[in-house]
Amino acid sequence: MQNPFNNQDPNDPNNPFNQLPIPPNYAKIRNERGEIRIAKVGISWTTFFFGPLPALFRGDWYNFALMMVWDLIYVLGAQMLHLGIWASYPWPGMVFTLIYNMMYFRHLIGAKEFYAADERSEKLLAAAHYLPGSYQKHFSDDQ
């Protein structure tokens, strides 16, 4: 497979992402067991269009349950307060559109002990403020 993004070294035999076409706004994270996750850094347009379903398909049960509970609280609260037209606009969905990808990365890095798989991903996650405060750098800036 040809790599259209040219962001890996094709001659490195130890690189598990060798020739894997990853767009520049996606980050790769992995854990000690060798599990790999690749996800977008930035606004989650899939969450905007499909609500909590992207979290369900990623197996992100924590954030899926969180989105469902906040949606339920919003709908029940809007009905109790007779908000009418305001209840028809999905405000929780708009908030989760902006923060879901950050929540996904922070949950994997914090709770499931994932870390950035390469220097480019670590810099991308740090620039977007996706790394939790307890994150330990795996790549130095002078490499």
Side-chain angles (χ1 to χ4, degrees):
M1 172 182 222
Q2 191 175 13
N3 181 356
F5 302 105
N6 253 347
N7 56 354
Q8 284 93 25
D9 180 12
N11 300 320
D12 184 6
N14 298 322
N15 186 357
F17 307 109
N18 200 7
Q19 293 299 317
L20 187 62
I22 299 173
N25 61 336
Y26 279 64
K28 301 170 282 194
I29 58 174
R30 68 182 337 169
N31 64 9
E32 296 297 328
R33 294 184 303 263
E35 297 174 18
I36 298 170
R37 300 284 189 271
I38 301 172
K40 182 178 185 266
V41 173
I43 293 174
S44 177
W45 291 106
T46 53
T47 301
F48 177 73
F49 290 111
F50 303 110
L53 290 178
L56 179 68
F57 294 145
R58 286 180 178 179
D60 186 12
W61 301 108
Y62 175 81
N63 287 320
F64 174 73
L66 183 69
M67 284 187 223
M68 292 300 290
V69 166
W70 275 107
D71 287 343
L72 183 66
I73 289 171
Y74 171 73
V75 168
L76 293 176
Q79 286 182 354
M80 273 183 12
L81 299 173
H82 304 288
L83 294 180
I85 191 74
W86 290 100
S88 66
Y89 195 77
W91 293 108
M94 291 302 296
V95 171
F96 284 117
T97 295
L98 299 172
I99 66 171
Y100 172 65
N101 284 335
M102 179 185 62
M103 291 169 41
Y104 178 67
F105 276 113
R106 284 193 175 189
H107 181 69
L108 287 177
I109 291 170
K112 298 199 176 182
E113 299 176 355
F114 277 77
Y115 58 90
D118 58 11
E119 186 178 2
R120 186 194 67 79
S121 295
E122 188 168 65
K123 286 181 180 179
L124 180 64
L125 291 169
H129 305 290
Y130 278 24
L131 297 176
S134 61
Y135 182 77
Q136 309 239 335
K137 287 183 69 100
H138 287 81
F139 301 94
S140 65
D141 292 331
D142 57 340
Q143 285 184 344

